[in-house]
Amino acid sequence: MYPLPDGTIREHYSNGSVIRQGDTISIKTKTLSGGRYIEGASEIYYIGHKSPASLNYLVGTYCTFDIYTNTVAGRAILERCDTKEKMDKMASTPEIPPYIAMEIRDKRMVNDSKLAARHFLELSTNSPYASIFGKVPGYYKIKFDVEESFNPQKTSVLKKTE
C-alpha cells in the first residue's frame, strides 16, 4: 500500500513464491511488466530451526522496485495476524506500530532510477566530491617541531578564570 499525496492509497501487488531452505525463508516475487511477469523482489528471513507457525515476527531484508521503478532495499519485519481481515486492516492503514517503526526507521535505501550512466558524474549529486575520497586514505607522517629546551615536567596548566 502506497499513500499518495492526495490522501488516496495505491495498492501494488506482486506474485511469487515462499520457499523454506534450511533455516531461512525466502520470498521471490515477479512483477508484471510489458504484459509478462519478470523477476521482481527478493526477501529473506532467518528463522533458525523453528517452525514458522511458532513465530509471531519474522525479521529480514528485502530488495525490490517501488511504484516509481526505483530500486529499494531495507529491513523488513513481518508480523503474524490472527485473521486475514486483521492483516488487510493493518496493511491498509498508513500507521505503523511503534515497536516496528522504531526498528525500520531510516533502514530503507532508495536508488533513484537512472538509465545506464555514461559518466561517473551522472551516478549521484555527490559524484563531484569523489576526488576528495581518493585523496583521504593513506599513511601520514606527522612531525612536531618542538623547542630543544622543551621539558614536559615544566609545562604549565591553564586554569579557568571567571
Side-chain angles (χ1 to χ4, degrees):
M1 305 290 187
Y2 283 87
L4 300 175
D6 65 0
T8 61
I9 292 178
R10 179 174 172 194
E11 297 178 6
H12 178 74
Y13 296 96
S14 295
N15 297 301
S17 57
V18 178
I19 303 165
R20 180 173 181 178
Q21 296 175 326
D23 51 4
T24 64
I25 288 180
S26 62
I27 302 172
K28 305 276 188 203
T29 63
K30 295 183 181 281
T31 304
L32 187 62
S33 176
R36 62 186 180 103
Y37 285 101
I38 59 171
E39 292 296 322
S42 179
E43 299 176 42
I44 189 164
Y45 300 90
Y46 178 76
I47 61 168
H49 299 292
K50 299 178 180 177
S51 164
S54 69
L55 301 171
N56 290 326
Y57 299 92
L58 292 179
V59 179
T61 58
Y62 66 90
C63 180
T64 188
F65 295 98
D66 66 7
I67 61 173
Y68 309 107
T69 67
N70 297 315
T71 53
V72 295
R75 187 170 191 195
I77 299 176
L78 302 181
E79 181 176 6
R80 176 185 302 283
C81 293
D82 296 330
T83 64
K84 183 178 183 320
E85 291 76 23
K86 183 178 179 185
M87 178 189 69
D88 289 341
K89 182 179 178 188
M90 287 181 72
S92 64
T93 179
E95 290 144 16
I96 299 171
Y99 52 88
I100 291 178
M102 71 179 186
E103 296 296 327
I104 62 173
R105 182 174 174 80
D106 297 330
K107 301 285 190 328
R108 183 173 193 254
M109 297 183 309
V110 178
N111 288 318
D112 295 329
S113 292
K114 299 232 186 271
L115 298 176
R118 293 176 306 262
H119 192 273
F120 78 89
L121 291 174
E122 295 176 349
L123 291 176
S124 163
T125 56
N126 295 325
S127 292
Y129 304 104
S131 62
I132 295 171
F133 287 102
K135 295 174 183 171
V136 172
Y139 294 98
Y140 296 90
K141 182 176 181 179
I142 300 173
K143 180 180 176 186
F144 294 98
D145 288 327
V146 181
E147 295 177 19
E148 289 191 28
S149 62
F150 175 75
N151 184 344
Q153 301 297 328
K154 294 184 178 180
T155 56
S156 61
V157 177
L158 297 177
K159 293 183 181 178
K160 182 179 177 184
T161 57
E162 296 185 26

